[in-house]
Amino acid sequence: MTQTLHITIGTRPNRTGLEETLASIDDGEEVDPNPSRLSIESLATFGRIFRPTNLELLEAIVEYEPASIRELARIVDRHPPEVTENVHELADYGLIELEDEGRAKRPTVWYDEFEFSGDVPLHGLDTDSDAPVAP
């Protein structure tokens, strides 16, 4: 069964069901067939979270299953402190999990795909960020 994370741009973070889904997966339980949802508070935040460097990290985590953040940094050929910052941002939004592996943190992805939805009005956008905005 494909695990999908549905993502919308909203007025405040809404991680409805995300923590419960992650806990069920960790416990080896069947997960609710209703998809998990993540609401991102602004278009600027959406652009920051889904910038190319973060998408590269997500892809590398899925493809290579690194045992630690340091190994992930080697895979993407970036400095570990930068990767650590990006990984923690992704974890804060529930896009990855960090599993304790001794002294290391192992990044994992629990879903197979994203589904983006919602309307983005062209007025009242949060444009205070210099982060690039993903289409």
Side-chain angles (χ1 to χ4, degrees):
M1 178 168 93
T2 300
Q3 294 292 323
T4 302
L5 178 61
H6 293 263
I7 301 171
T8 59
I9 299 172
T11 56
R12 59 190 163 93
N14 178 359
R15 295 171 177 92
T16 304
L18 185 59
E19 290 300 319
E20 292 83 9
T21 299
L22 293 173
S24 295
I25 290 170
D26 285 345
D27 293 340
E29 299 172 4
E30 293 241 0
V31 294
D32 184 349
N34 294 323
S36 294
R37 300 188 185 285
L38 172 64
S39 179
I40 297 176
E41 59 270 16
S42 70
L43 189 58
T45 301
F46 179 88
R48 187 184 75 244
I49 293 168
F50 291 99
R51 64 185 174 268
T53 54
N54 283 353
L55 292 174
E56 178 186 32
L57 292 175
L58 289 169
E59 184 177 28
I61 292 166
V62 170
E63 186 173 342
Y64 298 104
E65 299 179 358
S68 67
I69 296 172
R70 183 171 294 283
E71 182 179 338
L72 176 60
R74 279 193 295 270
I75 291 168
V76 297
D77 195 28
R78 291 180 45 208
H79 295 289
E82 295 169 7
V83 172
T84 298
E85 183 177 322
N86 294 139
V87 162
H88 283 284
E89 178 179 49
L90 293 171
D92 287 345
Y93 278 89
L95 295 170
I96 66 170
E97 273 194 327
L98 293 172
E99 299 176 357
D100 289 327
E101 296 280 328
R103 292 180 33 199
K105 298 274 188 194
R106 181 174 166 265
T108 61
V109 174
W110 61 269
Y111 48 83
D112 302 306
E113 63 186 18
F114 293 134
E115 180 178 283
F116 298 99
S117 62
D119 298 324
V120 178
L122 293 178
H123 57 76
L125 294 175
D126 175 1
T127 57
D128 292 337
S129 173
D130 291 331
V133 176

